[in-house]
Amino acid sequence: MSITTYPEFVQLVGQYKIFPFSDLIPEHPSLTSVVPSDSWHTDTELDPWLWRVKIVKDEHAAYGKFFGTKASFIHVDLFPMIPMLLSQGKSVEERYSSGLLSQNARNIYRIIKEAGNIDSRNLRKESNLTAKEQKKDYERALVDLQNYADIVITGAQESDFEGGWSSMCFESSDHWLYETLSGAPEAPRHLAEAKAVAKAELGAVCTEKALKYLDKKLRFSL
């Protein structure tokens, strides 16, 4: 399988529903596996590096590190089920109270939720995790929140100086789904419904090995 254009990428995300940025799910395609290696970082419309933000802006998919430390795209029609599945229906406060979320993650979530949309540089300042030795704590908290799909990556803020790295922008999943998107998708009513919908959608397009991986992450069988 090989693609060269953004519309082809959008089509694949729509087909597979969950589409990793790089190799992650067994027997399942990823963006890096389906585009030619010489397409990257060309700053043209054929540059897949730019697609990762464009597909979110165009409201086709959510983007974030939902499974471990590697990023994935999840089609907008399926994504409302994902926060409920990854959290097993437990709120941020419930997970914090039971020790599943750190105080840093809880505080960062509150900042993002209040801001609506915030870039990583300002988020780190507001979280008071600006010291060099606190960088790992800050990054760990962001990954933890993405692993529960509490937050999503929604863009990239350009650097204030030439040659600097861009800064990723974040929103809470609820804000992105039900305020940012032009057409808010329907939220699942309960965990059982989220499991049934997601398992049916993914079962239709995943191999047995891929579905086994996603079953473990999304806990269909629990």
Side-chain angles (χ1 to χ4, degrees):
M1 183 189 304
S2 180
I3 65 170
T4 57
T5 68
Y6 171 71
E8 290 175 310
F9 168 52
V10 172
Q11 185 176 12
L12 283 179
V13 174
Q15 177 183 345
Y16 286 96
K17 309 304 179 186
I18 295 179
F19 201 81
F21 181 86
S22 57
D23 290 345
L24 175 66
I25 303 172
E27 297 181 353
H28 201 77
S30 66
L31 181 57
T32 58
S33 72
V34 299
V35 296
S37 58
D38 59 0
S39 299
W40 294 89
H41 304 294
T42 58
D43 285 328
T44 70
E45 63 180 15
L46 300 179
D47 183 354
W49 183 247
L50 304 180
W51 300 350
R52 79 197 197 287
V53 172
K54 181 173 173 55
I55 197 168
V56 177
K57 296 292 187 185
D58 291 348
E59 302 186 355
H60 295 304
Y63 179 53
K65 296 177 180 178
F66 306 116
F67 310 112
T69 58
K70 290 188 174 182
S72 294
F73 307 92
I74 300 181
H75 193 267
V76 68
D77 290 344
L78 180 66
F79 188 69
M81 316 300 157
I82 302 304
M84 184 172 283
L85 291 171
L86 290 175
S87 69
Q88 289 295 289
K90 294 181 179 179
S91 70
V92 167
E93 290 301 319
E94 288 172 328
R95 280 176 272 132
Y96 171 71
S97 297
S98 59
L100 295 173
L101 269 186
S102 68
Q103 185 172 0
N104 286 332
R106 179 201 194 196
N107 290 342
I108 287 172
Y109 177 76
R110 286 178 168 180
I111 294 167
I112 294 172
K113 193 168 181 64
E114 184 175 340
N117 186 298
I118 187 170
D119 73 274
S120 186
R121 289 190 191 91
N122 287 319
L123 176 59
R124 190 173 176 189
K125 288 177 186 175
E126 292 196 29
S127 70
N128 293 317
L129 295 172
T130 55
K132 185 177 180 181
E133 62 270 18
Q134 293 174 309
K135 184 179 180 183
K136 286 185 178 180
D137 293 333
Y138 172 72
E139 291 177 346
R140 180 70 258 170
L142 280 179
V143 170
D144 286 346
L145 289 170
Q146 290 172 77
N147 281 179
Y148 285 112
D150 293 316
I151 62 173
V152 292
I153 298 170
T154 55
Q157 180 70 37
E158 293 302 318
S159 173
D160 294 333
F161 57 93
E162 188 175 352
W165 288 97
S166 60
S167 176
M168 302 312 294
C169 298
F170 296 95
E171 287 183 36
S172 72
S173 295
D174 284 347
H175 188 276
W176 184 72
L177 278 168
Y178 305 115
E179 294 190 47
T180 299
L181 293 184
S182 55
E186 186 175 346
R189 290 166 293 183
H190 42 71
L191 184 58
E193 180 186 4
K195 286 182 179 182
V197 172
K199 189 171 184 179
E201 290 272 351
L202 295 169
V205 293
C206 290
T207 68
E208 185 176 341
K209 281 188 177 181
L211 191 61
K212 185 177 180 181
Y213 173 91
L214 291 169
D215 187 355
K216 185 177 180 181
K217 293 292 184 180
L218 299 172
R219 294 188 279 186
F220 296 138
S221 303
L222 289 181

